[in-house]
Structure formats: structure tokens, C-alpha cells
């Protein structure tokens, strides 16, 4: 089978399209014919080994390979079709259309991926193309997890920093569906897209610092590392909640004191990616509460360009790799 592989950490050009062995299915696994995989910021970070927060480096290097990547096929979030099931698998059948997360196993940049049936994999939303469905799990699972942790209530003022990204754009839609008043913070050209998916207010981070405008929020969901922590906490109303999805060590430490010593709560979060959350997202998609915004679809042979786009270009939505691209379903209607 064909797969986008990398054998050294480095720039996008380390990604190579190669013929590799098709995965051998274990009894508790499901073999998925991948149709599309999102090229995510996290994929780029694992490829280059450059993270927004420095402390990620050591644990990630130990987990993923000290000298070179242990798993040479990236890709955590995908849509596809079940090709076959191990003998112990009861919840899937050949031909099922699915979407989900490969977790730390990765491998969705290959034409086939074998995953334990216990992974976060669910039936694909019926009203989405494969490309659109592949763009849901990363952003949706993280955003839903963070917004639930923040216990967002109808009528509350929610600010999302980094709102135009994969996680943020799902966060805007999920918070809106819960009845919140949403302020989106991102760069100039994303304003139209963010308002079209429901943002009530927009702050351009290239012109204004959300934390120093004097406006207050009940919840701040911060997907960007490097803002002033104390200014962000000051921008919260009493009993406000601050959630960092990309926390520096100092933020992790200070959040403990904020929560213990003030009437505000600060938390850092790592999404658990549960099956219940993925099924909730499928329902939200099918009931029209959320949609995925796909900016560009690249063929496997242009994986390096896809990563360059995620890292450097001002994209409006997700970048998706068409893994089995002969199918019309990969075209967004
Ligand atoms: N905690 C967890 O469990 C978890 C899970 C997955 C990912 N993450 C991390 O979360 C981060 C965001 O992920 P993502 O996939 O949503 O990334 P993404 O798609 O790249 O989105 C980031 C967004 O933030 C914007 N941005 C950049 N600098 C900003 C600033 N100073 N102020 C406001 N917005 C700014 C970017 O806009 P521009 O176009 O202007 O750059 C982009 O729209 C990544 O670093 C990722 O590793 C955390």
C-alpha cells in the first residue's frame, strides 16, 4: 500500500510517499481503508519536533523516538471505510463508513490503518463527505472536552483565543450551540469565516490584545501559548473559568494557585478523546449544530505542501489529505 512516511524529524520535505507493507490485522483490531486524514498542527509539531510549549519536547521525544520517529506514518484523525475486522471485533462490519482518532498509534497517512476496535472510532456523519468528516475529530473532540470542562452555560460570555484553528473553530460552534455569547480571537482575514460559523464578536490579535480591552468574560478557552497569564485571569468575571489547551509549565503551576486562592478557576486540559464525545459530535453534525470548514484538500503526493500550508499559510479551515482520492466523495459539495 502507499503511505506518507518520514524517517527523520525535520522540515515538511522529510515526508515521502512510499510503498509499505499493508498492516497485519490482530484479533481485536479493525482494518480501515483510509479515505481522508486531516493534516493537523499536531502532526506538523510531531514531524518537526518543534512545539509551542517547550516542556512537551522531552516526554514526546521519549514517547515517539529519541533519534528518529518510531512510528513512521503520521496521521491521527481520519475518515474511511472498514475493510475487515479481527475475529474478536463485534461492533464494526466490513463496509461501515467511519471517522475517528488513531490516538498515539497514528498511521492514518497510509492507505490502510489497523486500529484496536476500542479506539475512538464511530459511524461517519451521514451528511458529510469523507474530507469534511476527517476534519471533525481533532478539533471537535478537543473543543467539546474543553467546553464541557469549563461548564459553559447559556448566556455566558465565552472568549476563544485561536478561534480560527481546528480546535477553536469547533469551539466557536459548540459554545454557540450551548447558547453562549462568543468572542473569537484570531487574525484579520479569519473574521468573515468566524462570524459565518456563529462568532458574535471578533478581536484581531494582530491589532488588539483581548486581555487588555477592559471587557470581561465568563470563560476563556486559550489555544495559544504565550499570552500574559495574569492579564487573561484579570479578564475573567468573578467565578470565571480559564482553560489552557497549550499550557506552559508556569501556567500549569499558577493555575493551581488561582483556583485555590481566588474565586476564579484556571485549568489546563488534555483531551481524553472518548467514544461518547465522538458520537456526540456526530449527532451535532447531523443536526446541523456544527460543520467542518475545509480550506484545501491535497493528494498524498503533496503531503509536504499540505504541512507547509498548515505551518505557514493563513488558511481558513482544515487542511485535508486525500488518501484514497479516486472517490468523488472527497469533494466538498
Ligand atoms: N491540550 C490538548 O489536548 C491539545 C490537543 C491537540 C492540540 N493541542 C495544541 O493546541 C494548539 C492549537 O491546535 P489547533 O489544531 O487548533 O491549531 P491551529 O489549527 O494551527 O490553530 C491555531 C490558531 O491560532 C491562531 N493564532 C496564532 N497566534 C495567535 C495569537 N497570538 N492569538 C490568537 N490566535 C492566534 C492561528 O492563526 P494564524 O493563521 O494567524 O497563525 C490559528 O488560527 C496546537 O499548538 C496544538 O498542539 C492541544
Amino acid at each position: 500500500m502507499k503511505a506518507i512516511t518520514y524517517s527523520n524529524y525535520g522540515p515538511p520535505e522529510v515526508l515521502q510517499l512510499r510503498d509499505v507493507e499493508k498492516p497485519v490485522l490482530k484479533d481485536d483490531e479493525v482494518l480501515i481503508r483510509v479515505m481522508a486524514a486531516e493534516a493537523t498542527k499536531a502532526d506538523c509539531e510531531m514531524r518537526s519536533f518543534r512545539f509551542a510549549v517547550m516542556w512537551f519536547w522531552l516526554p514526546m521525544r521519549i514517547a515517539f523516538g529519541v533519534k528518529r520517529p518510531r512510528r513512521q506514518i503520521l496521521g491521527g484523525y481520519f475518515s474511511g471505510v472498514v475493510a475487515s475486522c479481527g475475529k474478536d471485533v463485534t461492533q464494526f462490519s466490513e463496509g461501515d463508513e467511519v471517522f475517528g482518532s488513531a490516538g498515539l498509534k497514528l498511521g492514518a497517512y497510509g492507505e490502510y490503518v489497523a486500529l484496536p476496535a476500542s479506539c475512538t472510532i464511530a459511524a461517519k456523519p451521514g451528511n458529510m463527505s469523507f474530507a469534511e468528516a476527517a476534519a471533525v475529530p481533532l478539533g471537535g473532540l478537543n473543543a467539546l472536552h474543553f467546553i464541557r470542562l469549563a461548564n459553559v452555560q447559556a448566556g455566558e460570555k465565552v472568549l476563544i483565543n485561536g478561534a480560527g484553528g481546528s480546535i477553536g473553530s469547533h469551539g466557536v460552534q459548540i459554545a454557540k450551540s450551548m447558547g453562549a455569547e462568543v468572542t473569537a480571537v484570531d487574525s484579520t482575514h479569519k473574521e468573515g469565516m468566524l462570524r459565518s460559523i456563529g462568532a458574535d464578536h471578533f478581536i484581531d490579535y494582530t491589532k488588539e490584545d483581548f486581555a487588555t480591552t477592559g471587557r470581561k468574560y465568563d470563560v476563556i478557552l486559550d489555544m495559544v501559548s504565550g499570552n500574559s497569564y495574569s492579564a487573561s485571569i484579570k479578564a475573567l468575571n468573578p467565578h470565571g473559568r480559564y482553560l489552557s489547551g497549550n499550557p506552559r509549565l508556569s501556567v500549569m503551576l499558577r493555575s493551581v494557585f488561582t483556583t485555590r486562592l481566588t474565586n476564579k478557576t484556571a485549568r489546563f486540559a488534555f483531551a481524553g478523546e472518548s467514544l461518547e464525545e465522538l458520537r456526540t459530535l456526530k449527532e451535532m453534525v447531523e443536526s446541523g449544530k456544527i460543520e467542518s470548514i475545509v480550506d484545501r484538500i491535497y493528494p498524498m503526493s503533496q503531503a509536504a505542501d499540505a504541512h507547509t500550508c498548515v505551518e505557514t499559510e493563513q488558511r481558513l479551515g482544515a487542511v485535508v489529505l486525500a488518501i484514497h482520492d479516486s472517490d468523488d466523495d472527497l469533494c466538498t459539495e
Side-chain angles (χ1 to χ4, degrees), residues 83-305:
S84 56
C85 299
K87 73 175 176 52
D88 297 341
V89 176
T90 52
Q91 63 270 56
F92 296 104
S93 304
E94 196 180 319
D96 286 351
E97 294 188 350
V98 293
F99 75 143
S101 164
L104 294 179
K105 280 206 80 177
L106 306 177
Y109 282 11
E111 288 183 313
Y112 291 88
V113 63
L115 296 171
S118 57
C119 274
T120 306
I121 306 167
K124 168 179 133 348
N127 57 343
M128 275 189 160
S129 67
F130 281 104
E132 289 167 325
V136 173
L138 164 78
L141 287 168
N142 281 278
L144 182 62
H145 187 75
F146 299 153
I147 283 173
R148 281 178 169 176
L149 275 180
N151 193 22
V152 171
Q153 302 294 315
E156 285 194 315
K157 290 182 168 45
V158 174
L159 178 138
I160 300 180
N161 193 33
S166 299
I167 301 173
S169 59
H170 284 86
V172 169
Q173 298 178 79
I174 294 169
K176 276 303 285 181
S177 77
M178 291 177 170
E181 182 183 324
V182 178
T183 299
V185 185
D186 214 297
S187 51
T188 321
H189 78 296
K190 295 189 185 168
E191 177 170 1
M193 182 272 282
L194 284 164
R195 287 195 187 273
S196 77
I197 59 170
D200 300 289
H201 313 284
F202 177 78
I203 296 175
D204 182 345
Y205 79 82
T206 65
K207 296 184 182 146
E208 198 176 11
D209 179 354
F210 77 84
T212 56
T213 60
R215 291 187 284 272
K216 304 274 185 191
Y217 303 93
D218 300 301
V219 172
I220 294 176
L221 172 55
D222 194 355
M223 294 315 307
V224 181
S225 178
N227 308 298
S228 160
Y229 174 76
S230 48
S232 300
I233 296 298
K234 275 193 194 133
L236 284 174
N237 283 322
H239 308 292
R241 287 88 72 201
Y242 172 82
L243 256 111
S244 172
N246 219 343
R248 285 168 288 153
L249 267 182
S250 60
V251 168
M252 292 165 80
L253 285 172
R254 291 172 75 185
S255 65
V256 176
F257 292 102
T258 302
T259 304
R260 290 228 170 138
L261 303 176
T262 74
N263 63 7
K264 299 171 181 176
T265 305
R267 298 182 74 164
F268 44 90
F270 298 97
E273 304 195 343
S274 76
L275 188 54
E276 183 276 324
E277 287 168 334
L278 189 63
R279 287 183 175 147
T280 301
L281 290 167
K282 170 180 152 53
E283 283 165 21
M284 294 179 97
V285 169
E286 289 178 341
S287 61
K289 287 182 180 158
I290 59 172
E291 58 181 300
S292 55
I293 317 290
V294 176
D295 182 314
R296 260 167 273 188
I297 303 174
Y298 287 87
M300 290 176 93
S301 57
Q302 290 175 24
D305 294 338

